[in-house]
Amino acid sequence: MTTSRWTYARRASQALCLLGFLWLFVQTEYRGVDDLPYPVGLLFRLDPLAALADALAAGPFGWGVLWPALLVLLLTALFGRFFCGWVCPLGATLDGLGRLIGRGRRAFSPSWRRVKYYLLLVLSAAALFGVQLLGLFDPLAIFLRSLALALYPAYNYGVNRVFDVLYAVDLPVITPAAQELFPWWRDHLMAFHQPFFTLSLFTLLVFLVIVLLEKIEHRFWCKHLCPLGALLGLCARHALLQRTPQTLCADCRQCDALCRAGAVRPEGHRRSECLQCMDCTGFCPEERVSFSLQIPQRSGPGIDLERRGVVTALACGALVAPVVRIAPSEERTNPYLIRPPGAVAEAEFLERCVRCGECMKVCIGGALHPAWLDAGPVGLWTPLIIARVGYCEYNCTLCGQVCPTGAIKRLALEPKRQTVIGRAVFDKDRCLPFAKGIECLVCEEHCPTGEKAIVFEEKEVLVDGVTRRLKWPKVVDRLCIGCGICETKCPLEGASAIRIISEGESRRERIKLPDGPYG
């Protein structure tokens, strides 16, 4: 077996695309300017599964952003699943790590390939009825989510520790070099602050499971489970880029044994499964295999889905929606479900969000974290603000800039400052002035609104038998936007004495309350 020039070209394409996406990922970062100068959402603009999720969601389709994904589908119809073999960053990662950890030799039955098509049908039917789960299984979302929530924070922490050690040991030549290098590395290749997220370990474990499936079979995820591969496979069914010969040669079956996608079978070449890696041009000792553009003369083996399986998959997807809808709405029952500014209404938000993690990565205040069950069973990995951990920076609009599907609308700075994501409320059993008669001004000092949303009333109170005048804090509802900095900065240990709740969000209808002296 020899390595063909096509194999070298494919590996170069995979490496360049992976490095390009990683570079854009690193640029999805605050560098002192609120406007991101690069198309950091390019990966999802190329993602047909994200386009499908957007098309099935409520509201208009995002033509202006997602037209490249439609172009990918058109090119797939012409050239086959080239995206999987030449562009996909998760596929390139699996190819690279598979060589390091070793690949399994077990060959599963071709019927296993149907799983990804059934999964696509389940997810599409569920999305059509208002429950969007495509982002949980989208390989591009998995790739970026794993980077943003687990791998990048670990890298950032590791680099900081290495430089800390180099600074501390004071070695000749090495320490001065580190001192020269660190400012550039910090400003260009590291996060604005050390990121940490609530589901980092779980996200990493999911990624590792997908990687370790390589120990069972090469490209196990791509062959059997990937719904994006299934969507592209449907489009590639009659691709013009044809393999010659279409079937295995009688005197040689190496293509059947070595094909990474299992696309070359005794019954013929499965264009819907072929990743267009073109490695088989090097398998043949007689150099018989070639690829060329031509009108298909024969249909070749089909996808071979069972009618019963298709009906069952569609029915399961359709049943997901009513089962989810009969559960109590987390938006009404969870007062701490705080979405980022610019988020659309909750039902549409859950339909549009692909759980990519980009908004969480770029959050300056470290406020955005992935939800577990806080937003219900279908809200896994969607972003929510945990104000005790971090706050929504008053002068930042980055999350709306990086959202690829319009789940978070891009806001100009002034409208963003006026967008209400929640309200602050005091816990008088913990707040120092109320509970212990100790004066505390921290929440008012940090309040960023032009006219302070937290004010003080002076009152005479009896503390330990002595009458004292204390400043009692009050929240001015008409000024509070729920940024959460007061909760973040509250000096009490454990739970904060002031909490942000979802009351009064700009994205939903407000209940008219009677006017009071502070509202």
Side-chain angles (χ1 to χ4, degrees):
M1 184 181 73
T2 61
T3 302
S4 73
R5 68 180 188 276
W6 286 113
T7 299
Y8 289 121
R10 174 185 56 78
R11 290 175 181 172
S13 173
Q14 285 182 300
L16 287 174
C17 290
L18 180 59
L19 290 174
F21 292 136
L22 289 176
W23 182 80
L24 287 175
F25 176 82
V26 172
Q27 300 310 310
T28 310
E29 189 67 61
Y30 178 71
R31 303 291 181 194
V33 180
D34 193 48
D35 290 321
L36 297 174
Y38 302 104
V40 293
L42 177 62
L43 184 58
F44 284 97
R45 295 181 188 181
L46 296 171
D47 183 4
L49 213 56
L52 177 62
D54 190 79
L56 296 176
F61 182 75
W63 292 101
V65 176
L66 294 172
W67 66 265
L70 304 182
L71 181 61
V72 169
L73 291 179
L74 176 60
L75 293 176
T76 301
L78 295 176
F79 302 108
R81 287 175 58 183
F82 73 96
F83 187 88
C84 302
W86 293 65
V87 179
C88 179
L90 183 59
T93 302
L94 294 178
D95 282 343
L97 294 181
R99 295 174 67 90
L100 293 177
I101 66 175
R103 299 187 178 110
R105 295 293 182 182
R106 182 177 180 181
F108 282 72
S109 167
S111 61
W112 271 73
R113 300 186 189 115
R114 300 171 184 165
V115 174
K116 62 179 178 290
Y117 294 101
Y118 293 143
L119 180 59
L120 176 65
L121 291 174
V122 169
L123 298 176
S124 299
L128 183 62
F129 286 92
V131 178
Q132 199 277 98
L133 301 173
L134 287 162
L136 299 180
F137 299 90
D138 186 343
L140 305 187
I142 292 172
F143 176 75
L144 273 186
R145 188 165 62 229
S146 302
L147 278 179
L149 304 184
L151 299 177
Y152 188 63
Y155 150 81
N156 202 84
Y157 178 81
V159 171
N160 270 318
R161 293 294 297 165
V162 167
F163 278 105
D164 286 345
V165 170
L166 293 178
Y167 272 60
V169 295
D170 195 20
L171 295 174
V173 180
I174 296 178
T175 299
Q179 293 172 343
E180 291 288 332
L181 177 62
F182 180 69
W184 181 88
W185 198 286
R186 176 197 60 208
D187 294 341
H188 294 88
L189 298 177
M190 294 179 67
F192 177 69
H193 54 73
Q194 172 58 47
F196 46 87
F197 299 100
T198 53
L199 294 185
S200 293
L201 181 58
F202 176 67
T203 305
L204 178 63
L205 289 176
V206 172
F207 177 74
L208 290 179
V209 167
I210 293 174
V211 172
L212 291 176
L213 288 175
E214 289 290 292
K215 297 287 290 183
I216 301 175
E217 186 180 12
H218 188 20
R219 287 274 193 140
F220 183 97
W221 165 266
C222 306
K223 278 194 273 193
H224 305 306
L225 301 176
C226 180
L228 176 57
L231 178 60
L232 295 176
L234 292 172
C235 294
R237 179 71 178 82
H238 300 287
L240 301 183
L241 187 61
Q242 299 285 303
R243 180 187 185 274
T244 304
Q246 290 283 319
T247 58
L248 294 174
C249 301
D251 59 339
C252 178
R253 303 178 68 87
Q254 289 199 62
C255 293
D256 184 19
L258 298 175
C259 177
R260 71 181 61 219
V264 186
R265 304 291 299 165
E267 62 270 19
H269 179 230
R270 294 180 179 270
R271 286 189 289 274
S272 58
E273 300 297 327
C274 181
L275 306 182
Q276 304 298 350
C277 67
M278 300 189 182
D279 285 354
C280 55
T281 58
F283 295 161
C284 183
E286 303 297 330
E287 299 183 354
R288 300 166 181 162
V289 179
S290 63
F291 285 82
S292 60
L293 290 172
Q294 52 184 296
I295 302 297
Q297 299 300 313
R298 49 177 293 181
S299 61
I303 296 173
D304 192 27
L305 298 180
E306 296 179 351
R307 182 179 301 176
R308 182 179 300 173
V310 171
V311 172
T312 301
L314 292 173
C316 289
L319 283 173
V320 168
V323 171
V324 169
R325 299 300 183 200
I326 62 176
S329 170
E330 292 294 329
E331 185 181 22
R332 295 183 62 86
T333 59
N334 181 5
Y336 304 114
L337 181 60
I338 314 294
R339 297 299 190 186
V344 296
E346 184 66 14
E348 184 181 351
F349 181 84
L350 291 174
E351 291 181 37
R352 289 192 175 278
C353 178
V354 290
R355 288 79 165 165
C356 64
E358 288 272 55
C359 58
M360 303 175 223
K361 176 188 180 296
V362 82
C363 181
I364 298 176
L368 292 178
H369 292 263
W372 177 239
L373 296 177
D374 315 75
V378 299
L380 178 64
W381 276 308
T382 57
L384 73 160
I385 291 176
I386 303 180
R388 191 54 172 151
V389 178
Y391 60 94
C392 180
E393 168 57 47
Y394 189 60
N395 296 309
C396 172
T397 62
L398 293 177
C399 57
Q401 295 181 47
V402 301
C403 181
T405 60
I408 305 173
K409 299 296 183 183
R410 180 169 183 170
L411 300 175
L413 182 57
E414 202 52 44
K416 186 266 181 184
R417 288 173 172 172
Q418 299 172 14
T419 299
V420 178
I421 58 176
R423 300 285 193 211
V425 293
F426 283 100
D427 181 351
K428 294 184 179 180
D429 291 330
R430 288 185 55 77
C431 184
L432 293 177
F434 296 102
K436 298 184 178 181
I438 300 173
E439 199 164 87
C440 177
L441 312 177
V442 172
C443 54
E444 188 270 346
E445 290 174 343
H446 285 91
C447 182
T449 56
E451 183 181 349
K452 292 286 187 177
I454 297 178
V455 297
F456 291 104
E457 273 187 338
E458 285 196 6
K459 290 188 177 181
E460 290 187 353
V461 295
L462 190 64
V463 181
D464 296 331
V466 179
T467 301
R468 298 176 53 189
R469 289 191 66 83
L470 280 181
K471 291 182 177 180
W472 282 19
K474 295 284 186 180
V475 176
V476 184
D477 284 351
R478 64 181 176 81
L479 299 176
C480 181
I481 59 173
C483 69
I485 192 171
C486 52
E487 183 175 343
T488 306
K489 301 298 183 180
C490 179
L492 293 183
E493 294 184 1
S496 172
I498 184 168
R499 300 292 303 272
I500 306 300
I501 61 174
S502 57
E503 176 187 318
E505 290 180 295
S506 295
R507 65 184 185 139
R508 57 179 171 175
E509 293 184 8
R510 303 188 192 184
I511 300 174
K512 180 63 176 176
L513 298 175
D515 292 334
Y518 296 98

